[in-house]
Amino acid sequence: MRIFAISDIHVDFKANWEYLERIVSNGLIHGEYIEDAVIVAGDISHLTRHVSWALHQLGTVFKYVFFCVGNHELWITAEEKAKKMNSLDKYEEMMKVATKAGAIVSRKEIL
């Protein structure tokens, strides 16, 4: 098993979204990461739907996807602000989104 680490992928930007798509596509075609783990060390996006998409995509090619939030995941959108959300609320929401997408968000023994 190999362990990879990535951060600051900012899929809000089209070029970064497409780059992640290419990594996933390559992994699916070649089965290159099927026994590996990836640590996603934050800053995927401030939008929960983008975080969900990215983690789900990575989960299709990596055996384990570990995730911790970065500062961008805690940014509050105008819609969230209107709902009176704060960064702690956003943190809890991101943890639920990540878990639902199949990411590991707490300590886990894998070896």
Side-chain angles (χ1 to χ4, degrees):
M1 174 193 308
R2 298 174 295 175
I3 300 174
F4 294 86
I6 58 173
S7 70
D8 297 277
I9 57 177
H10 300 282
V11 297
D12 308 272
F13 297 99
K14 184 179 181 194
N16 295 355
W17 181 289
E18 291 170 348
Y19 184 71
L20 183 59
E21 285 180 325
R22 286 193 303 276
I23 290 171
V24 169
S25 178
N26 186 58
L28 288 171
I29 291 169
H30 301 288
E32 186 176 346
Y33 311 114
I34 198 162
E35 293 298 322
D36 299 330
V38 63
I39 300 166
V40 185
D43 290 356
I44 295 173
S45 175
H46 64 287
L47 300 173
T48 55
R49 67 183 180 275
H50 288 178
V51 171
S52 177
W53 173 82
L55 293 173
H56 176 75
Q57 292 299 305
L58 289 166
T60 65
V61 293
F62 285 93
K63 185 172 186 172
Y64 301 104
V65 177
F66 292 87
F67 174 68
C68 66
V69 298
N71 64 308
H72 285 265
E73 279 80 34
L74 302 181
W75 285 3
I76 303 298
T77 66
E79 181 181 307
E80 292 162 340
K81 189 174 184 178
K83 293 178 184 177
K84 306 287 189 217
M85 285 182 73
N86 61 38
S87 291
L88 293 175
D89 299 324
K90 185 77 175 263
Y91 174 84
E92 293 298 326
E93 185 175 358
M94 283 293 179
M95 291 295 95
K96 289 176 187 172
V97 165
T99 301
K100 187 175 181 181
I104 301 163
V105 297
S106 61
R107 192 176 111 189
K108 178 177 178 73
E109 190 171 314
I110 60 173
L111 297 177

